[in-house]
Amino acid sequence: MREKTLKLILTFHTTTAAMAMESLCRDLSLPGRMIPVPREISAGCGMAWCAQPEDRDALCDAAGTAGIRISGVFEIML
Amino acid sequence: MIYLDNAATTLHKPPAVIEAVVEAMRSHANPGRGTNEGAMSAARTTHRAREKTAKLFGCPEVERVVFTSNSTEALNIAIQGLLKAGDHVISTDLEHNSVLRPLYLMERERGVALSFVRADGAGRIACKDFESLIRPETRAIVCTHASNLTGDAIDIRTVGNLARRHGLLFILDASQSAGCLPIDMEEDSIDVVCFTGHKGLMAPQGTGGLCIGEHVDIRPLKVGGSGIRSFSREQPEEYPVRLEAGTLNSHGIAGLLAAIDFVQDIGIDRIHEKENRLMRQFYEGVSVIDGVTVYGDLKAPARTAIVSLNIRDFDSGAVSDELSVSYGIATRPGAHCAPRLHEALGTVSQGAVRFSFGWFNTEEEVERAVEAVREIAT
């Protein structure tokens, strides 16, 4: 396994919101990628946006402007 | 990409399936709505698909093959359309939420009582446990043919015979087994088979259905356009239109027809033999790796081609992501919509990484997957 580093994780209420986030980030060249939701956050099915902690403001601002609802913002070792 | 998530959907489809869908999109109008050339082309294909589906599952009448968008819709039609207040239903810990949630809905809204055959710590259930749960008010057994988490299959003939002996309905969720394991409604005493097209049958998503035995009357879940008896305020009584309100997905059904042809040309026995050979090759490779825990009964002769595992205490999502990013191997982590079985296995927090094998996988792909697991575990 790769060495764990601190990551920013954004979660969403719905898969639709997660896919909208990926589309938005591609359009705006914002950093990150989709990963399975880490168990520290949820045991259920789902996907989350993973980026670096310093990307927090840019990602949250872009989501807010686009009307994408983020359910949680976390910083965890992944 | 090495695709090992065939239990979710088969990514690689037979070329004939793709060609059939493309051709249908060029030629099909609305099946059962008029007699113009396009409508008849769609109607003929849909009818041939009913005939093939009836033959595949041993359904006694072609008219009792009802097409839906997937097995979840089929299961909702069967469960909500057959159960009433005061009924008692037996199911199992192996179930997917496509069975569990409709049952829980019936428990909440209609007062249907539920009992579950419990899985042990290895994820196994005993068929003899069904009988001990039967009560005077038991109406039905609703259960999966094979777990979508472990691949373990139940002996449907034993369960079907038990249901028949006690006068119970037997509703089978064949989501994981259609195209992979033999199913015969008459020989296995099954009243309703619910299936999907996009997994083992290698058909397009958006296809599936239910095959309904004689003397089983299911109330419609939805009503609407039927193409016949337009001035009646009621949905027509006759199958299949009784349960098929609205336009069918005849483009997808054309793909389903080609897929069933493909499966029957090869033979389910050959498909099962190949997929299980790949599954056992993978199991034998990973089960000896230090730190790997495999779930389910891999010694059982009748099972689908799934190996679910964990590596040490690693998060299953992290392992699946590592397999994808570093090795190009597609798997499915997490809970797999199978909450009761994860509870029995003690994997609620960790989830599990599911490797599921299909007709188009190869021994070389399996070997690379074993090596990837070994590297991650080391």
Side-chain angles (χ1 to χ4, degrees):
Chain A
M1 295 284 276
R2 287 161 292 173
E3 195 171 333
K4 291 186 177 184
T5 58
L6 192 65
K7 298 281 187 355
L8 177 80
I9 302 296
L10 306 183
T11 59
F12 307 91
H13 290 294
T14 64
T15 302
T16 306
M19 297 314 296
M21 186 70 188
E22 183 183 62
S23 175
L24 179 73
C25 291
R26 281 187 179 168
D27 290 347
L28 300 181
S29 298
L30 290 169
R33 69 183 182 90
M34 207 65 84
I35 65 165
V37 174
R39 68 172 157 182
E40 292 88 338
I41 298 170
S42 166
C45 301
M47 48 181 80
W49 191 253
C50 175
Q52 300 301 319
E54 58 267 28
D55 301 325
R56 174 192 288 251
D57 289 347
L59 292 168
C60 290
D61 289 351
T65 302
I68 298 171
R69 286 183 62 203
I70 293 171
S71 63
V73 181
F74 306 87
E75 288 190 13
I76 59 175
M77 296 295 288
L78 277 182
Chain B
M1 175 177 57
I2 297 174
Y3 186 77
L4 300 179
D5 198 13
N6 293 282
T9 202
T10 42
L11 174 66
H12 302 296
K13 309 293 187 187
V17 171
I18 297 165
E19 288 158 15
V21 174
V22 171
E23 178 54 32
M25 293 190 75
R26 290 201 177 99
S27 59
H28 282 193
N30 199 325
R33 308 291 192 272
T35 55
N36 63 72
E37 190 180 329
M40 289 307 297
S41 175
R44 289 184 192 110
T45 298
T46 301
H47 186 71
R48 283 204 304 279
R50 279 193 218 283
E51 291 175 328
K52 296 276 184 178
T53 303
K55 191 174 174 198
L56 180 69
F57 295 118
C59 186
E61 293 177 23
V62 172
E63 290 76 13
R64 285 177 171 262
V65 175
V66 171
F67 288 124
T68 63
S69 56
N70 48 46
S71 49
T72 293
E73 186 182 8
L75 284 159
N76 271 273
I77 289 170
I79 291 169
Q80 297 195 48
L82 283 168
L83 299 183
K84 60 183 190 312
D87 285 343
H88 170 248
V89 173
I90 299 170
S91 190
T92 80
D93 278 350
L94 303 185
E95 307 309 315
H96 186 278
N97 275 334
S98 57
V99 168
L100 293 174
R101 285 177 172 160
L103 287 179
Y104 293 148
L105 181 73
M106 293 298 93
E107 182 182 45
R108 216 165 42 241
E109 294 195 345
R110 292 189 195 163
V112 170
L114 307 176
S115 297
F116 292 90
V117 176
R118 305 309 301 263
D120 65 17
R124 295 169 301 203
I125 66 166
C127 275
K128 63 179 173 52
D129 291 350
F130 281 94
E131 189 151 26
S132 62
L133 296 172
I134 295 173
R135 307 178 193 169
E137 66 274 25
T138 303
R139 178 91 191 288
I141 294 173
V142 185
C143 70
T144 187
H145 190 175
S147 161
N148 72 306
L149 173 54
T150 62
D152 289 349
I154 67 160
D155 180 350
I156 53 173
R157 190 157 302 176
T158 297
V159 176
N161 285 340
L162 175 76
R164 191 58 47 94
R165 242 184 5 257
H166 289 270
L168 312 179
L169 290 167
F170 182 23
I171 302 170
L172 184 72
D173 172 10
S175 301
Q176 291 294 325
S177 58
C180 305
L181 293 171
I183 297 168
D184 188 297
M185 291 179 68
E186 292 202 37
E187 290 185 2
D188 298 327
S189 303
I190 305 167
D191 292 294
V192 186
V193 172
C194 300
F195 71 97
T196 196
H198 68 100
K199 298 179 192 276
L201 287 173
M202 296 178 269
Q205 294 175 347
T207 61
L210 55 167
C211 297
I212 304 163
E214 291 172 304
H215 313 301
V216 179
D217 292 329
I218 302 178
R219 295 183 300 277
L221 185 65
K222 57 185 180 181
V223 295
S226 59
I228 58 170
R229 299 202 194 139
S230 295
F231 294 96
S232 169
R233 294 191 174 198
E234 309 290 333
Q235 187 71 10
E237 285 283 315
E238 299 87 351
Y239 290 119
V241 291
R242 170 182 184 151
L243 302 178
E244 286 182 345
T247 296
L248 285 174
N249 172 18
S250 80
H251 302 140
I253 289 168
L256 176 66
L257 171 60
I260 293 174
D261 278 340
F262 181 84
V263 165
Q264 292 195 314
D265 283 350
I266 295 170
I268 287 177
D269 288 351
R270 263 184 73 204
I271 291 173
H272 181 253
E273 188 278 325
K274 177 183 175 179
E275 292 179 351
N276 270 249
R277 181 161 37 82
L278 295 173
M279 177 264 294
R280 289 188 191 285
Q281 178 194 346
F282 181 76
Y283 170 68
E284 284 163 15
V286 298
S287 59
V288 296
I289 298 172
D290 189 35
V292 170
T293 304
V294 177
Y295 303 101
D297 184 5
L298 275 293
K299 293 189 175 72
R303 66 190 327 280
T304 56
I306 290 173
V307 178
S308 283
L309 58 79
N310 274 313
I311 301 174
R312 308 188 192 288
D313 62 347
F314 298 164
D315 180 7
S316 64
V319 172
S320 182
D321 191 49
E322 179 78 1
L323 286 163
S324 175
V325 171
S326 299
Y327 300 93
I329 297 172
T331 59
R332 173 81 190 280
H336 313 90
C337 304
R340 297 183 71 95
L341 190 50
H342 274 289
E343 286 167 2
L345 294 170
T347 50
V348 168
S349 167
Q350 192 174 13
V353 187
R354 183 182 67 189
F355 297 75
S356 50
F357 305 91
W359 175 254
F360 290 106
N361 285 128
T362 65
E363 291 176 8
E364 291 73 25
E365 290 177 325
V366 172
E367 189 51 42
R368 284 171 62 187
V370 171
E371 284 308 310
V373 171
R374 181 175 290 122
E375 286 184 24
I376 292 171
T378 303

